[in-house]
Each structure stands twice: as structure tokens, then as C-alpha cells.
Amino acid sequence: MLAGLFRLFTLLAADITLMVAALYLSNYLAKGSFNEENGQILTSIIMSLVLIHTIVSHRYKLYRKAWEYASVGELYIIIKIVSISILLAAPIQYFLGNGLQLRMLLTTWFIYLVCIGGSRFGWRLWRDNVLLRKGSVKRTLIIGAGAAGRMVARQLLNNPKSDLYPIAFIDDDHKKNKLDILGVPVVGGRESIVRAVKELAIEHIVIAIPSLHQKELNEIFLECGKTLVKTQTLPMLEDLMTGKVSVNHFRDVQVEDLLGRPPVELDMDSISETITDRVVLVTGAGGSIGSEICRQVSSFHPSKLVLLGHGENSIYSIEMELKETFKETSINFVTEIADIQDGKKMGTIMEKHQPYIVYHAAAHKHVPLMERNPEEAVKNNIIGTKNVALAANWNNVHTFVMISSDKAVNPTSVMGSTKRLAEMIIQDLDKKSTTKFIAVRFGNVLGSRGSVIPRFKQQIMVGGPVTVTHPDMIRYFMTIPEASRLVIQAGSLARGGEIFVLDMGEPVKILDLAKNLIKLSGYSVEDIGIEYSGVRPGEKLFEELLNDNEIQEKQIYPKIHIGKTSQLYMNEINELLENLEAYENDALRETLLQLANRKVIEEHIEKPKVMLTVTG
């Protein structure tokens, strides 16, 4: 309180002193001398101006401005205050009998404006260039001279705690080229990034274009990757403007930024009637995909969400997160610690909660581990899926959505084979049940547990080398939210018996992904190094999303095609499961591969079924 009053009276006293000086100077310039008559006139003008200035300044809150951030808006206010003060002082002087001192008042207006405005902006310049002149700072290149870029530059210039200092802008708008924005020059478009880094000794790059699509963003990232400079980017612009984040929240390059395409946005509005006010059950709720499905489902406000999983820590973690995030809602979050291999327990849980829709995300997914443990893959991926599906059937669940994998197509691994056989089980069950059974098939999930990106990041953090299995290995990639949205969307579109596959764009070369991640982490490939570990058992150099016979051209929904129903080998699958304990690992592995890869035969059945596939 006292500090505020001291600041107010100090600024007011300084302005009055400047005003008096401006009046004496303008009087001298207008009349060329001082005399007693002029002194009386000056005294009356000073008294009226001081009173008017004080009232008008209070009206426009002149002394509540933070002048270290003064800009055009503050200059406009100063012009208004000075102009109004002079305009009101003129008639007062006329009525006091001093006549209309027009020439002196115009001169006073100009000097008064220069003194008041100059004192404010002079303070800001002195503060920015002397008080806040940083010693050890990183010369920073800002890519994007739009609203976000200007905001970043302004905050960096005014933030004494920041170790970044803007040196130049990069912007593809040719109209901005060679212009100065906040004193920072625009030195060219994205093709000038490498040259600018070299010529201006840039030590840090900030990409300040939060509205760009991933494809355009990827092109800029690749250009930045040609330098050895640390590259960071911004959160969303609205988060900056609302104050949720600041320039201290620059983030490192995310795996989504390297995807090279905009994430697929599905029709979320059609999902609400499937979930809102319904009971939803998610198996594998503590996993990467399962937990994200729970987050997405919760946004549609089910009446109850059952989190089923085998690992107590991960289930507890997602339970606490959801209860905190959705504490303002009436969603009833319930946890069930259970193993899907326990068929009786699955039946008990389904009977207890009576879910409307089940998302089955629990599975063993690690390819090399399942090659060494094929029996466990069968128990979890096939028997576990069968247990959950049968429990859903017995309890009249409306829709059952199974999470599958692109590795189920022409599988070369135990994991892929078990997923394909699990697909066959639910498709067969769909023919006999009132429950709609469907599967959702997608490729590698960026950032999930055991995926390649976290391993690459960890290897880069410790100085390398980054290990790539084979220089020619390619994979389809999608983000965890994308995968989860597809699963939820599939549940809303289900007719029964379908397999949904997302259009995942062009496949990505793992070697290129590794190189880009190294460069955008601020290192060169030579610094970190890349080693080839060789293709692991069960792995393919490339993955497929569909068999050749699974696609038809007709679309029934944007990016969704109708496929064909394939032959289901239930007798062979049941025989395998009944004699599981008799198989040695090698024999079991071979049997799984042969059964999953048997030639697909078209089958016409009485109950009309379609296979839906999402393709490009």
C-alpha cells in the first residue's frame, strides 16, 4: 500500500515538474522573453494544467501502468491525456481574462507530450538495454514472426530470468522479410534457417508456429535438423494467451511432431450415445492404450467406468488421475484387479457391473518376449480374450471391442499369430451372440511402453549409441490418442464382426526416425552414433495393415471401407487350446504360425456380416 502511494506521488511530482518546465520553455519560444505579466499568466496556466492533468490522468489510470511493458497502447493514452489537458486549459485561460494563448499552448502541447512520453519510453529503453542486459545468454532464432513469435520475442526481451535472447526471426511471409519486429530482424524464410544459424552464431531455435499442421512442422524440423542447434517448440497459442504457460514452457520435440501428418480426427460426436450415462469396462486399463481409452471415455461422462487390470500400481495410478481430472463429474470409477486368464472371475465381474460396452486392451504385445514364451502369449492373448468375450456374451454386453495389431496380418511372430487367432474367435462368437464383437487393428503406437521412441530418447540421453534393428526396417506409426479414438469410434460404428484399420499414412523408416530424433535433440548423428542390432526373432522389415483380400473400394463412412469375411478355423483353434500343455515351445510356435497364416477362403454365411477397414 505504502509502496503504491510512494510510486504514485513520485510519478505525479515528476510529471508536474516536467509540465512546468514545458510551460516555461514554450513561453520563451512563443514570446522570446520573461516579464511580470507573462509570469502571472504562466502561474494561472500552471495551476489549471496541474489540476486538469491530475484529474484526467486518474481517469485514464496513467499511474497504474507497468511502463516496463509500454507499447503503442500506452503511447495513445499519453497523447489523449496531454491533448485533453491542453484543450480544457485553453477555455479556462480565456475566461480568466488572460486571452487565448494559442501559440504557447500548441508549443506546450508538443513539449509536454515529448516530456511525458519520453520519460516513460526512455525508462523502458534504459531498463531493457542497461538493467536487464543479460550476460550469459543463448543467441536464439525464432521461427515464425506471427502472433506467437512476437509474444515469444517480447517475453524473452523482458524476462531477466530467461537465458534466451532473440537475435532474428524466420518467416515464410515475403512481406515481412527485412523488417524489424520489436527490434528483431526477419532474415528470411525456412530455406534461410541453416544460413542464419551459421552467420548469426545461433545457439538455440524456438519454433513459434503452434497452428501449423504436422506435415509443415515436420519440414521445418528437418531443416532445423541440418544444424547442430537445440530446437524447441511451443505449446498451443491459446495456452500462451490465457497465461496457462509462458516462454519458460518451451518443450522439446515430441514424437508426434516427427509423424509428418496431421493426426486423424474421427467423429467424436457420434460416440456420445454409446458412452454417455452408460457402464463402460476397460481391460488392461493401466496400460498405455487402456489408460488413454479411459481418459477419452471419461470425457463423454459414462455413469460408471470399470478399470480392470492385473497390475495394481498402474490401475491405482490411472484411478487417481481420473478421479482428480473428473472430480467435478458424477462418474463412478471402479477398479477390479483381475487376470483375464481367470474365466470364472471375468464372468463374475461382468455379472456384477453389467457393462454396456467393453474395450478389451489387455494383451501381451512384446514380439521378442512372446517368441521366447509362446505358451504365455496363447494364455493371455487367445485364452484371455476368449474368457472376456464369453463373459461379455453371457451377460448380454451390447458391444465388445478388441484391440488388435497390424502384426496379425500375414503374421511372422507368435504375438501376431495369437492376435489373428483372437480376431477369429470374436468373429466366430459374433455369429452366435446378440453382442456385437469387433476388432480394431493398428500399427506401432508412439510413446507406448516398449515402443521404439522412449528407447531412442533414453539412449540419446546417455550419449548413445542409438540401436536400430535394420537400416531398411519401416513401420506405420500413430499416437496413443489417435489409437484410442479409433477404438472408441469403432465401438460407435459397430455392426458386428468387423475389423477396423486406421489409415496410418505413409510408413516411416526407423533409421530416419532415429536420425531426426538425434538431430532435434541438439546432437549430430556422429556425436551419438547408430548401431544395427539385427532383426529379432518374429520381426518383419515391414508391416501390413490388411490382407489383399480384405479390401473393397466402397466407402460407408469417411476413410472406412467394407471388407470381406474370412474363413474362421475354430475347430483347429479349439484343438490347439485343449492340447496346449502338450506342445513344446518350437512346436507351439510353428503351429500358431501355420494356423494364423492358412489361406483365407471367402465364406457366405446366413447372418450378413461385413468387415470394415479404415484405409487411405
Side-chain angles (χ1 to χ4, degrees):
M1 181 68 177
L2 291 176
L5 289 174
F6 177 77
R7 179 180 182 275
L8 170 63
F9 286 118
T10 300
L11 288 174
L12 183 59
D15 286 349
I16 291 173
T17 302
L18 290 172
M19 188 193 313
V20 172
L23 277 167
Y24 273 100
L25 180 58
S26 62
N27 178 71
Y28 180 78
L29 292 173
K31 299 186 177 179
S33 64
F34 292 107
N35 54 49
E36 187 176 345
E37 181 183 351
N38 289 342
Q40 293 176 351
I41 295 173
L42 274 175
T43 301
S44 62
I45 293 177
I46 287 171
M47 292 176 64
S48 58
L49 259 183
V50 167
L51 179 62
I52 294 169
H53 171 86
T54 304
I55 295 171
V56 175
S57 297
H58 176 74
R59 167 67 179 80
Y60 288 101
K61 302 177 181 179
L62 179 67
Y63 299 111
R64 294 186 183 181
K65 304 295 180 184
W67 294 105
E68 56 267 33
Y69 303 110
S71 61
V72 175
E74 282 70 29
L75 177 61
Y76 177 61
I77 289 174
I78 290 173
I79 292 173
K80 282 205 298 185
I81 291 172
V82 171
S83 300
I84 291 171
S85 298
I86 295 296
L87 286 173
L88 292 177
I92 291 174
Q93 290 306 302
Y94 182 78
F95 288 118
L96 288 175
N98 295 325
L100 190 61
Q101 309 289 327
L102 186 60
R103 185 177 177 185
M104 187 180 75
L105 288 172
L106 287 174
T107 308
T108 301
W109 176 86
F110 178 75
I111 298 175
Y112 183 17
L113 180 62
V114 170
C115 289
I116 300 295
S119 66
R120 300 311 196 270
F121 286 90
W123 159 247
R124 175 176 175 178
L125 290 174
W126 186 71
R127 176 184 180 275
D128 290 349
N129 293 283
V130 179
L131 290 183
L132 300 185
R133 176 60 67 187
K134 299 164 186 169
S136 177
V137 293
K138 295 179 181 177
R139 297 171 63 85
T140 302
L141 180 68
I142 300 174
I143 300 179
R150 295 194 299 272
M151 187 179 297
V152 168
R154 184 179 290 109
Q155 291 193 47
L156 290 180
L157 288 168
N158 295 325
N159 187 354
K161 296 181 181 180
S162 174
D163 62 348
L164 305 180
Y165 195 82
I167 299 298
F169 283 108
I170 289 287
D171 199 288
D172 288 336
D173 186 350
H174 298 297
K175 296 178 182 177
K176 295 177 182 175
N177 196 21
K178 303 294 174 68
L179 294 179
D180 271 21
I181 299 175
L182 301 173
V184 180
V186 181
V187 296
R190 71 181 68 177
E191 72 283 352
S192 304
I193 291 175
V194 176
R195 175 182 57 81
V197 168
K198 183 178 180 181
E199 292 180 358
L200 300 175
I202 297 298
E203 302 171 277
H204 199 93
I205 296 176
V206 174
I207 300 176
I209 320 176
S211 60
L212 275 184
H213 290 303
Q214 267 82 357
K215 185 175 182 180
E216 295 173 286
L217 208 51
N218 188 48
E219 293 174 1
I220 294 176
F221 282 142
L222 293 178
E223 201 65 28
C224 295
K226 296 176 183 177
T227 72
L228 298 179
V229 175
K230 174 75 171 179
T231 302
Q232 291 186 302
T233 187
L234 289 182
M236 295 301 292
L237 180 58
E238 54 264 30
D239 290 336
L240 284 170
M241 297 184 70
T242 56
K244 292 181 181 178
V245 293
S246 68
V247 293
N248 296 322
H249 289 80
F250 294 140
R251 64 177 178 85
D252 290 334
V253 176
Q254 302 295 319
V255 290
E256 291 84 352
D257 302 322
L258 297 172
L259 199 55
R261 63 181 175 87
V264 176
E265 295 292 340
L266 300 176
D267 182 11
M268 301 300 281
D269 292 336
S270 66
I271 299 168
S272 59
E273 66 178 80
T274 308
I275 297 175
T276 304
D277 295 328
R278 308 278 194 183
V279 177
V280 179
L281 186 147
V282 180
T283 72
S288 303
I289 297 296
S291 61
E292 182 62 25
I293 290 174
C294 292
R295 295 182 189 99
Q296 302 262 357
V297 163
S298 297
S299 65
F300 288 96
H301 300 99
S303 60
K304 182 195 294 185
L305 178 56
V306 183
L307 314 172
L308 190 153
H310 197 205
E312 61 178 31
N313 290 331
S314 58
I315 292 295
Y316 175 76
S317 178
I318 186 64
E319 179 195 15
M320 291 299 101
E321 177 189 330
L322 293 175
K323 284 185 175 180
E324 175 62 27
T325 304
F326 297 95
K327 60 186 176 183
E328 303 299 327
T329 71
S330 59
I331 303 173
N332 181 19
F333 295 104
V334 180
T335 58
E336 292 284 358
I337 304 300
D339 189 341
I340 60 173
Q341 296 179 36
D342 186 343
K344 184 177 180 181
K345 184 64 178 287
M346 292 302 103
T348 302
I349 290 173
M350 292 285 181
E351 183 179 7
K352 175 182 176 183
H353 297 291
Q354 291 294 307
Y356 180 83
I357 185 167
V358 172
Y359 297 102
H360 177 49
H364 285 328
K365 307 179 186 72
H366 198 282
V367 172
L369 282 179
M370 293 307 100
E371 289 300 305
R372 297 193 291 269
N373 301 275
E375 184 179 359
E376 293 306 312
V378 171
K379 288 179 180 178
N380 212 58
N381 294 354
I382 301 179
I383 297 176
T385 297
K386 185 177 181 180
N387 289 340
V388 181
L390 286 173
N393 171 53
W394 294 331
N395 289 278
N396 299 312
V397 170
H398 184 272
T399 306
F400 180 97
V401 184
M402 169 196 160
I403 312 301
S404 189
S405 166
D406 59 352
K407 294 175 176 61
V409 183
N410 300 322
T412 58
S413 66
V414 167
M415 195 282 277
S417 298
T418 56
K419 281 292 188 180
R420 179 65 191 121
L421 298 183
E423 288 178 355
M424 292 183 184
I425 287 173
I426 67 164
Q427 285 182 298
D428 176 70
L429 193 55
D430 181 75
K431 299 175 186 179
K432 312 165 186 176
S433 174
T434 58
T435 299
K436 298 176 182 179
F437 288 91
I438 64 170
V440 183
R441 189 187 289 169
F442 48 77
N444 295 272
V445 179
L446 293 168
S448 65
R449 297 175 190 171
S451 71
V452 68
I453 299 296
R455 191 175 82 245
F456 283 172
K457 285 187 173 181
Q458 188 176 28
Q459 290 172 337
I460 292 170
M461 283 179 62
V462 298
V466 170
T467 55
V468 176
T469 51
H470 192 281
D472 296 325
M473 182 168 282
I474 61 174
R475 289 290 183 268
Y476 289 98
F477 282 102
M478 67 190 306
T479 64
I480 293 176
E482 272 184 293
S484 303
R485 281 195 293 269
L486 175 61
V487 172
I488 296 172
Q489 182 73 77
S492 70
L493 296 174
R495 292 166 58 186
E498 304 97 340
I499 295 179
F500 290 82
V501 182
L502 178 65
D503 173 11
M504 302 187 70
E506 294 298 319
V508 177
K509 205 169 186 177
I510 301 299
L511 178 59
D512 291 341
L513 194 63
K515 287 180 178 179
N516 290 336
L517 200 56
I518 289 172
K519 291 176 182 178
L520 294 174
S521 296
Y523 303 98
S524 68
V525 175
E526 291 74 23
D527 290 336
I528 299 298
I530 293 177
E531 292 182 355
Y532 300 107
S533 59
V535 179
R536 297 174 296 183
E539 284 188 326
K540 296 189 284 187
L541 288 182
F542 62 92
E543 302 287 3
E544 305 145 286
L545 294 172
L546 296 163
N547 282 313
D548 292 338
N549 67 321
E550 286 184 323
I551 286 188
Q552 290 183 359
E553 293 301 320
K554 182 181 177 183
Q555 280 195 356
I556 61 167
Y557 191 83
K559 294 190 177 182
I560 299 180
H561 294 254
I562 297 178
K564 301 175 182 178
T565 302
S566 59
Q567 178 69 39
L568 308 177
Y569 305 109
M570 295 310 302
N571 290 335
E572 291 88 342
I573 293 174
N574 289 329
E575 183 179 348
L576 170 68
L577 298 182
E578 289 171 4
N579 298 285
L580 180 60
E581 295 181 358
Y583 284 92
E584 297 291 336
N585 278 355
D586 291 341
L588 179 56
R589 185 183 303 108
E590 188 65 26
T591 302
L592 289 169
L593 289 170
Q594 288 180 358
L595 186 55
N597 282 290
R598 188 173 297 187
K599 185 177 179 181
V600 179
I601 305 170
E602 293 186 28
E603 180 185 41
H604 301 284
I605 54 180
E606 292 183 7
K607 183 182 176 182
K609 291 292 173 184
V610 294
M611 181 181 296
L612 301 184
T613 60
V614 180
T615 62

